Amino acid sequence: MKFVARLLLLICCCFFTITAKAQDAEVASFKIDVQQSGESVELTCHRGCYWKNLSFNLDTHVDANGMTDPEGNTRKYLFSFTRNGNEVVLKSLRGTAWKELSFTLGKNMKASVDQYGVETKAKK
């Protein structure tokens, strides 16, 4: 009986490990800083992009290539970027562990966004 219980426990552990690894495989690795610059928003990519800096003042979609059209997009991650004053909302379409992020971005604030979420802090 103890043998069967241990075997079932081992099978469950293996199943959850395989499931967790499969979910991580769907999450792309990236890190992007977001800050305001007058009426525009500036993005600086530190990891997972083919671009270094983006600047825009309209709502858009962002992926590894930069600002993009979501139709037919096959990049590992894709999210929409909308801003209303200091309020920023990101909605994931692919490749993140989050579905939606919202945060306030003041003049002296910077946000770091990655595949797992967002961290806001004062600019140095």
Side-chain angles (χ1 to χ4, degrees):
M1 185 67 164
K2 286 183 180 180
F3 175 75
V4 172
R6 287 182 184 167
L7 183 61
L8 286 174
L9 182 62
L10 179 64
I11 291 170
C12 287
C13 289
C14 289
F15 173 76
F16 288 120
T17 301
I18 291 168
T19 303
K21 287 185 181 188
Q23 288 175 346
D24 279 346
E26 297 172 8
V27 175
S29 178
F30 65 91
K31 182 177 180 189
I32 300 170
D33 286 344
V34 182
Q35 57 189 7
Q36 287 197 67
S37 177
E39 294 298 314
S40 297
V41 175
E42 292 182 355
L43 276 58
T44 304
C45 185
H46 299 283
R47 179 180 71 241
C49 309
Y50 297 110
W51 51 271
K52 184 69 176 164
N53 298 297
L54 293 176
S55 180
F56 52 88
N57 56 8
L58 300 173
D59 296 346
T60 190
H61 289 82
V62 176
D63 72 0
N65 286 333
M67 294 181 285
T68 189
D69 181 356
E71 297 300 317
N73 186 298
T74 59
R75 290 291 168 202
K76 290 186 177 183
Y77 66 89
L78 173 65
F79 57 88
S80 67
F81 188 105
T82 58
R83 183 176 65 135
N84 186 6
N86 290 343
E87 296 296 317
V88 175
V89 178
L90 307 179
K91 291 183 182 177
S92 177
L93 291 122
R94 178 183 318 107
T96 68
W98 46 269
K99 293 193 185 303
E100 183 174 310
L101 299 174
S102 60
F103 52 94
T104 302
L105 193 60
K107 289 183 181 181
N108 295 318
M109 298 293 294
K110 177 169 69 170
S112 292
V113 177
D114 66 15
Q115 63 272 23
Y116 297 112
V118 63
E119 177 185 352
T120 57
K121 54 192 166 198
K123 283 193 234 179
K124 292 182 180 180

